[in-house]
């Protein structure tokens, strides 16, 4: 491969950064008030002081719970090598007690280079786990149990949770139980015995604030002053980024985006799309990249169907259906739509008047695109023209679609608003 | 077992030396004023202090320790230290509170000692506030042992009321008493019923304890063997009484209630010699699930001992008892009172009280760390103990649900969806379809001059809210047919959003 042009290198660098959760959440480790530090404090006190703890990480999906936990675990494994063992369970896979115990035994065996037998029964597995907890407690090795999708473990008899949390209560074991869940009321799902044994520590992962987003953008998009890039390029690139982020249009765009989705993950996806549409010749990002990213993330497929695909006749038919709806006709079929069509033609003397079979074909086309559909699935015996239909597109979307249509006659818009 | 050397030390070595103490060697101590303590008052008659950093003791030294065993060794150790040739009297009784030295929260060892004293896993040396119940159970067990008769007992109470702890103490005391009186020693089988794969395994466990010489008969089930065993007269030499403690007994409840019933029936057999103590949470377990026992004569009905939830005074006393062994005052008494009051009002669960206290300790610790970072070597002018504001913060963290915070931090459109849901479910209707909710949502958006999101985006946001437990989406084949209902209280929503001016107007109107 020949020498990469700097634009491609930048693209690769930034895309690599966006896909690496460690890089994204690293700046959090600086501040002392962040979730990273709180989590690290709790887990490290367990390691150094040997006291047991249980924590719950709560937050919407994509807010970085598992990523921050991985960061904390990675850092602790560097700080205290050989003192930390991590056992990972997932509620989607291991919610059954027998399966979960087997998995814990298997992971413990792997960590400590013991032989795992698949034939071991539930009793043997649980005794093994208790014995291992005791041994690790004596050896001052902390076991961190990571329970992903914690609310799935809270179904059924909750035996696994009870045994793990009960083990936390004894002096012989040295372990931390970290539960990750997107349900806010995950601890209300626990049985009262299990809830009593759970130390009610919760860390809430809230969406980032404006300042955090600004600093995150800067952290992700600025190029390092590296000798592998041509000299003026880096400063030019960073300058452009600063200009874009301080532009008020960009701020508005970001605000619209964040009003719908404010998790870190969706922000990363947004930036990824923007960066991917970077102009490779100039090698610089621009505001248009972000605009295209925004529109590609906030797609409205039915609107696009209307805007791009519909012929004028089809638009007429849609407008007729809408008018029938407005007139409080609860159900209408092809025949009534044709009647309305005729009425319009008669009153406004439009030039587009087509025969019934052409309209039927237009109807079929609309139905294929799922802009309209049959109102009920029964009544298959009736002929297609008499079956009640309904619109699958809302009035505002129809309106928008027609307005952005290439050659929509003005009369139709008037008829719609009427 | 190879142990990894670590900077831990026994909680019962009370350390008061100055911060640069961990340089090895035995420090023969003089009552040393801390450099950082600017006051002079009488407090610093240092209590026992040997800082033997060479001879550190791991907190894990008790191999068989659990919250259910008496920490006898621990007591002996501390007694040993009392006689160490260090000067100054060790005042460990709480009538000499004023002699306690000030606590330095920056000292890791002291902080760790306090945390350990408050940890759930550390069983206190004396169990306070449960003397009556323990006495009752012990009397019952003693009676059974003296008369060599079987009996059954049922212990019930909310979680965190000290049932398992008391049972361990009773077991220990009964064994000691048996030795004292010269009776044949007591065998105990302690089973936590959650660890049984099958409910009938409990019989095999009892049988295993029982079998001394007899071969295990494979043909009949363990239950049948036990029944046979207890129906025949034993050789009189081996009349050892057996104490069976079944923890979390409600796991034995099956649909036909057979196992539980049979277990209690074992005590009614003529030559049975087992004393059964069942522990569970439900008060009426015995009445609900053992109706047949009631119909027999009253002797077979298990005695019921209820462990009530702790009251405020009891919680306070237990906390103080745990902290009294430390030579310094770490908590302001008002803070402890607040904690006890709040926890007893909520559930009376001791574990929660201990958890809240530890949480308050951690808040203090972070506060101290932050101030240490800011000013390197400042003299501690005031007494840094856990005060009421720390306790209030810890209580709110434990008892507050994260719903309000989350609703406040939701993105705008999702907040509008939550509002429209609150409005939609204000009346009697319990669930609506997505399309109806969408209509309400667009109305609110229009009235607040915000562009509503399309239906796909709307459905996605509803799914996100469903994931978080705020809305509830029913499962349906078609997206449009899903029914939506609200999982959160409307009052919470109004409270959370009252800082924003737009949404409450729409909520209040109509």
């Amino acid at each position: 491969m020949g020498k990469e042009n700097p634009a491609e290198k930048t693209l690769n660098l930034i895309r690599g950064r966006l896909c690496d959760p460690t890089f994204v959440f690293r700046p959090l480790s600086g501040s002392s008030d962040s979730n990273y530090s709180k989590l690290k404090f709790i887990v490290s006190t367990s390691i150094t002081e040997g006291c047991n703890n249980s924590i719950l990480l709560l937050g919407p999906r994509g807010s970085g719970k598992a990523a921050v936990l991985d960061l904390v675990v990675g850092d602790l494994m560097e700080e205290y090598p050989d003192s930390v063992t991590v056992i990972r369970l997932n509620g989607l896979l291991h919610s059954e007690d027998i399966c979960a115990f087997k998995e814990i035994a298997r992971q413990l065996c792997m960590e400590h280079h013991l032989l795992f037998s698949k034939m071991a029964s539930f009793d043997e597995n649980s005794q093994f786990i208790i014995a291992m907890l005791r041994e690790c407690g004596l050896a001052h090795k902390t076991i961190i149990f990571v329970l992903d999708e914690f609310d799935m473990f809270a179904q059924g008899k909750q035996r696994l949770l009870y045994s793990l949390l009960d083990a936390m209560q004894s002096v012989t074991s040295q372990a931390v139980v970290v539960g990750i869940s997107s349900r806010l009321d995950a601890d209300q799902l626990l049985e009262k015995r299990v809830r009593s044994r759970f130390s009610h520590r919760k860390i809430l992962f809230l969406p980032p604030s404006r300042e955090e987003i600004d600093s995150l953008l800067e952290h992700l998009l600025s190029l390092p002053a590296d000798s592998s890039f041509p000299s003026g390029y880096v400063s030019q690139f960073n300058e452009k980024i600063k200009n874009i982020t301080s532009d008020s249009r960009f701020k508005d765009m970001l605000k619209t985006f964040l009003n719908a989705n404010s998790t870190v993950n969706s922000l990363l996806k947004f930036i990824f799309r923007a960066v991917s549409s970077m102009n490779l010749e100039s090698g610089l990002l621009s505001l248009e990249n972000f605009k295209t990213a925004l529109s590609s993330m906030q797609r409205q497929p039915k609107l696009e169907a209307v805007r791009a695909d519909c012929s004028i006749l089809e638009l007429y038919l849609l407008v007729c259906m809408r008018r029938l709806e407005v007139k409080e006709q609860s159900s209408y079929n092809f025949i009534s739509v044709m009647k309305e069509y005729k009425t319009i033609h008669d009153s406004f003397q439009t030039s587009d008047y087509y025969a019934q079979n052409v309209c039927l074909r237009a109807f079929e086309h609309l139905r294929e695109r799922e802009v309209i559909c049959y109102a009920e699935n029964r009544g298959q015996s009736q002929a297609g023209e008499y079956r009640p239909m309904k619109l699958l597109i809302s009035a505002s979307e129809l309106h928008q679609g027609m307005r952005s249509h290439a050659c929509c006659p003005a009369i139709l818009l008037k008829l719609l608003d009427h | 077992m190879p142990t990894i050397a670590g900077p831990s030390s026994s909680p019962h070595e009370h350390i008061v030396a100055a911060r640069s103490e961990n340089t090895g060697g035995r420090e023969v101590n003089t009552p040393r004023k801390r450099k950082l303590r600017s006051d002079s008052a009488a407090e610093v008659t240092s209590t026992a202090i040997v800082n033997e950093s060479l001879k550190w003791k791991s907190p894990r030294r008790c191999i068989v320790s659990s919250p259910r065993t008496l920490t006898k060794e621990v007591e002996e150790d501390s007694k040993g230290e009392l006689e160490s040739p260090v000067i100054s009297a060790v005042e460990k009784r709480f009538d000499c509170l004023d002699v306690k030295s000030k606590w330095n929260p920056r000292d890791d060892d002291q902080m760790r000692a306090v945390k350990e004293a408050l940890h759930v896993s550390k069983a206190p040396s004396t169990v306070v506030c449960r003397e009556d119940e323990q006495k009752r159970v012990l009397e019952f067990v003693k009676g059974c042992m003296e008369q060599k008769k079987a009996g059954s007992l049922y212990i019930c109470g909310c979680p965190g009321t000290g049932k398992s702890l008391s049972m361990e103490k009773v077991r220990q005391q009964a064994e000691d008493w048996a030795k004292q009186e010269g009776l044949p020693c007591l065998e105990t089988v302690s089973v936590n019923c959650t660890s049984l794969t099958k409910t009938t395994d409990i019989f095999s466990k009892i049988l295993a304890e029982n079998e001394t010489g007899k071969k295990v008969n494979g043909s009949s089930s363990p239950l049948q063997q036990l029944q046979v065993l207890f129906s025949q007269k034993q050789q009189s030499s081996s009349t050892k009484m057996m104490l069976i403690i079944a923890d979390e007994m409600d796991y034995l409840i099956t649909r036909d209630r057979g196992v539980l019933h049979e277990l209690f029936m074992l005590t009614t057999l003529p030559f049975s010699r087992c004393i059964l103590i069942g522990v569970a949470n439900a008060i009426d377990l015995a009445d609900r699930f053992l109706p047949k026992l009631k119909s027999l004569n009253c002797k077979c009905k298990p005695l019921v001992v209820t462990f009530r939830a702790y009251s405020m005074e009891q919680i306070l006393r237990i906390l103080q008892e745990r902290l009294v062994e430390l030579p310094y005052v770490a908590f302001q008494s008002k803070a402890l009172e607040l904690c006890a009051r709040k926890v007893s009002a909520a559930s009376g669960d001791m574990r929660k009280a201990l958890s809240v206290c530890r949480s308050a300790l951690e808040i203090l610790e972070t506060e101290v760390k932050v101030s240490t970072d800011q000013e390197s070597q400042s003299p501690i002018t005031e007494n840094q103990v856990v005060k009421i504001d720390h306790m209030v913060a810890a209580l709110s963290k434990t008892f507050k649900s994260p719903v309000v915070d989350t609703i406040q931090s939701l993105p705008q459109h999702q907040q509008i969806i939550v509002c429209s849901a609150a409005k939609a479910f204000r009346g009697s209707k319990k669930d609506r379809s997505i399309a109806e909710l969408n209509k309400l949502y667009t109305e609110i958006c229009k009235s607040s001059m915000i562009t509503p999101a399309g239906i796909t985006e709307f459905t996605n946001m509803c799914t996100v809210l469903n994931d978080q437990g705020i809305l509830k989406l029913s499962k349906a084949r078609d997206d449009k047919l899903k029914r939506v209902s609200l999982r959160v209280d409307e009052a919470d929503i109004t409270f959370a959003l009252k800082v924003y001016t737009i949404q409450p107007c729409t909520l209040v109107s109509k």
Side-chain angles (χ1 to χ4, degrees), chain A residues 149-404:
Chain A
E149 311 291 343
F150 187 75
D151 41 305
M152 310 284 282
F153 283 109
Q155 295 167 352
K157 278 198 167 182
Q158 304 184 4
R159 271 217 278 198
L160 172 71
L161 289 179
Y162 180 86
S163 346
L164 281 182
L165 290 175
D166 206 27
M168 300 293 117
Q169 309 269 296
S170 79
V171 175
T172 52
S173 57
Q174 191 170 340
V176 184
V177 173
V178 182
I180 305 181
S181 176
S182 62
R183 273 191 71 158
L184 298 174
D185 54 349
D187 62 333
Q188 305 298 322
L189 296 171
L190 298 174
E191 243 194 357
K192 60 180 188 309
R193 288 187 265 249
V194 181
R195 197 168 350 135
S196 164
R197 287 170 167 79
F198 171 68
S199 77
H200 294 76
R201 281 159 217 260
K202 294 184 257 213
I203 299 186
L204 205 51
F205 279 74
L206 296 173
S209 62
R210 285 318 301 250
E211 299 82 25
E212 287 174 5
I213 292 180
D214 290 335
S215 62
L216 186 66
L217 280 175
E218 200 192 301
H219 173 68
L220 288 170
L221 294 173
S222 333
L223 286 181
D226 205 341
S227 58
S228 57
F229 288 103
S231 45
Y233 177 68
V234 171
S235 45
Q236 209 183 3
F237 190 85
N238 291 342
E239 189 65 35
K240 193 83 197 330
I241 297 286
K242 273 211 190 55
N243 286 343
I244 295 178
T245 47
S246 45
D247 193 344
S248 63
R249 288 173 293 170
F250 177 77
K251 291 203 184 119
D252 285 337
M253 226 192 307
L254 202 55
K255 194 154 157 234
T256 339
F257 178 71
L258 291 173
N259 273 343
N261 265 325
S262 53
T263 55
V264 177
N265 206 11
S266 51
L267 187 65
L268 291 178
K269 282 192 202 158
F270 172 61
I271 302 179
F272 193 93
R273 280 188 213 212
V275 166
S276 303
S277 57
M278 183 170 86
N279 184 350
L280 283 176
E281 284 174 6
S282 67
L284 300 171
L285 280 177
S286 70
L287 203 59
E288 278 61 41
N289 297 132
F290 289 94
K291 273 202 192 125
T292 40
L294 188 64
S295 55
S296 82
M297 290 200 78
Q298 292 188 332
R299 287 184 57 224
Q300 285 170 303
K302 309 245 188 255
L303 197 150
E304 283 168 17
V306 168
R307 186 168 56 91
D309 247 5
C310 282
S311 65
I312 310 281
L313 173 59
E314 285 155 8
L315 288 179
Y316 263 98
L317 295 174
L318 285 174
V319 168
C320 293
M321 290 179 84
R322 178 71 198 143
R323 284 169 66 89
L324 286 175
E325 253 185 26
V326 166
K327 285 187 199 164
E328 307 283 337
Q329 271 199 325
S330 53
S331 83
Y332 41 86
N333 57 16
F334 179 65
I335 307 293
S336 35
V337 173
M338 290 310 295
K339 261 193 232 153
E340 179 73 17
Y341 185 41
K342 188 155 184 351
T343 331
I344 294 181
H345 173 71
D346 290 337
S347 43
F348 291 98
Q349 299 297 322
T350 53
S351 55
D352 309 289
Y353 189 65
Y354 296 92
Q356 179 142 342
N357 52 350
V358 183
C359 292
L360 199 55
R361 281 251 281 278
F363 243 94
E364 282 308 311
H365 187 229
L366 282 175
R367 215 164 56 80
E368 270 166 28
R369 293 285 292 164
E370 297 221 352
V371 185
I372 62 177
C373 71
Y374 287 129
E376 314 155 346
N377 274 332
R378 298 164 290 174
Q380 301 255 359
S381 52
Q382 286 180 313
E385 296 133 347
Y386 293 95
R387 284 174 69 181
M389 319 208 72
K390 65 175 182 181
L391 270 178
L392 287 177
I393 182 175
S394 67
S396 52
E397 282 185 330
L398 183 58
H399 205 128
Q400 257 185 299
M402 281 171 54
R403 248 191 284 143
S404 46

Side-chain angles (χ1 to χ4, degrees), chain A residues 50 61 159 162 171 201, chain B residues 1 60 196 248 351 362 467:
Chain A
R61 291 195 193 279
R159 271 217 278 198
Y162 180 86
V171 175
R201 281 159 217 260
Chain B
M1 191 90 243
R60 308 260 159 256
L196 301 172
E248 313 290 357
R351 291 192 185 108
E362 280 168 13
D467 261 346

